Amino acid sequence: MLRWLKALLALWALSPVLAWAPGPPVALLTINGAIGPAIADYVHRGIEQAGRQGAQLVVLQMDTPGGLDTSMRAIIKDILASSVPVAAFVAPRGARAASAGTYILYASHVAAMAPATNLGAATPVAIGAPGGGAQDEDGKSDGKSDGKGDGKAGKTGKGEGGGASSTMTRKQVNDASAYIRSLAQMRGRNAEWAERAVREAVSLSASEALKMKVIDLVAEDVPDLLMRLDGRKLKASDAERVLQTADVVVTTLEPDWRTRFLSVVTDPSIAYILILLGIYALVFEFSNPGLVFPGVVGAICVLIALYAFHLLPVNYAGLALMLVGIAFMVGELFFPAYGSLGIGGAIAFVIGSVILVDTDVPGFGVPFSLVLGLAAGSAAFLFLVVGMALKGHRRPVVSGREELLGSTGQALEDFEQEGWARIHGETWRIRSAAPLKAGQRVRVIAMHGLLLEVVPEP
């Protein structure tokens, strides 16, 4: 009896500690800026790592203007397949979840926002649409609409602004609308407003989003979010779990070296500079075989740039125009085209650079100032370097057998067939068919080993 009483007293003494024992950790991932391949890789690895660590929740803190459709869909697939619930949190104050961020918010198990934040404007940006200008949801070009559009996508779009671009726009809008509606229905959120965000590009503040059941809650920061989520039941991968996040430890998962490398090389401006640097290095190596170093640097830069272009929405016609432009500028130095090749090459280079990254998504364009600067620098570099190389090829040979043939010198002694002469400051054994006298000028006409054949200089 006494032993049982001691056990009960021990449990009573430990009850406060057990009551305050923290639950499994919470993983925090941060998205700042445009969503691209590097962000998608970071989220994928972060969710996998959180699952291995036994985390009970992944908090995805976002502040993004949008991003690439392929990267957004990769992130959503990871969220839907995750065994750990994901809470998308638009924070801190002043942040936004525009375009692609809205889709990710709808796909997450918990959608939360901080005060003074907004979401929406989820209309897909047309990529590679031919001709025309901006188009509305009815597929009509700017200035061609009849003003009777009702936001539906059922019209044929065969008006003045119709055609292939109208059809492509309607397909993109309809596909995006169906996608975000399916996410809203799965999470039990406002599907009607989600479709308006796609078709009409509307936006909401945090308080309005809460009232319209677009999000689940509003929190000041991550600790406040975890306090509000404590005790909530969430279902992930057909398993229901109860969150214990009141006094949980938050583990911030930082991007690893791979993610940092991807974020650098997938920047369109960096990839653009790398491809140019690689091309110039290879040209320099081919024009000076045996240097090795320029060839190694050029090959590495070109391969890294091609890898980045594989992940980015690149128009390869633009890349081809850039290469043709460089070839024309080089050709101007070899052919008397009176500037036509050089000017045409510069124009092709600029046009190719402008259309190289084929998207209007914020954060994924090559600045026009960078294009013009590199175009001018490339033209100046090619004209200067290749011009100097041509001048070097046209200069007379100053050493070796070719330089001696035709050279003149002075006989050092009298002789009839063979003797000595000074040619270019050097003493040579010479042979002449005619007798020579000391001090007489001679010209070299042939070379037989170390013996020069000469004739008297008139």
Side-chain angles (χ1 to χ4, degrees), residues 358-427:
D358 195 7
T359 180
D360 293 328
V361 175
F364 284 92
V366 179
F368 192 64
S369 57
L370 177 63
V371 171
L372 290 181
L374 288 180
S378 299
F381 172 80
L382 290 173
F383 277 99
L384 178 64
V385 174
V386 181
M388 291 177 62
L390 287 178
K391 289 181 179 178
H393 283 296
R394 292 168 182 169
R395 292 178 60 185
V397 181
V398 295
S399 63
R401 175 187 178 92
E402 291 77 10
E403 187 272 340
L404 279 175
L405 296 179
S407 300
T408 59
Q410 188 177 27
L412 297 178
E413 58 184 355
D414 297 337
F415 62 90
E416 293 185 357
Q417 291 186 348
E418 292 188 5
W420 295 91
R422 184 172 297 277
I423 302 172
H424 285 183
E426 301 172 339
T427 302

Side-chain angles (χ1 to χ4, degrees), residues 309-331:
F309 288 158
H310 171 70
L311 299 176
L312 292 171
V314 170
N315 187 336
Y316 285 95
L319 181 59
L321 276 173
M322 288 175 54
L323 297 178
V324 169
I326 294 175
F328 282 175
M329 286 188 285
V330 173

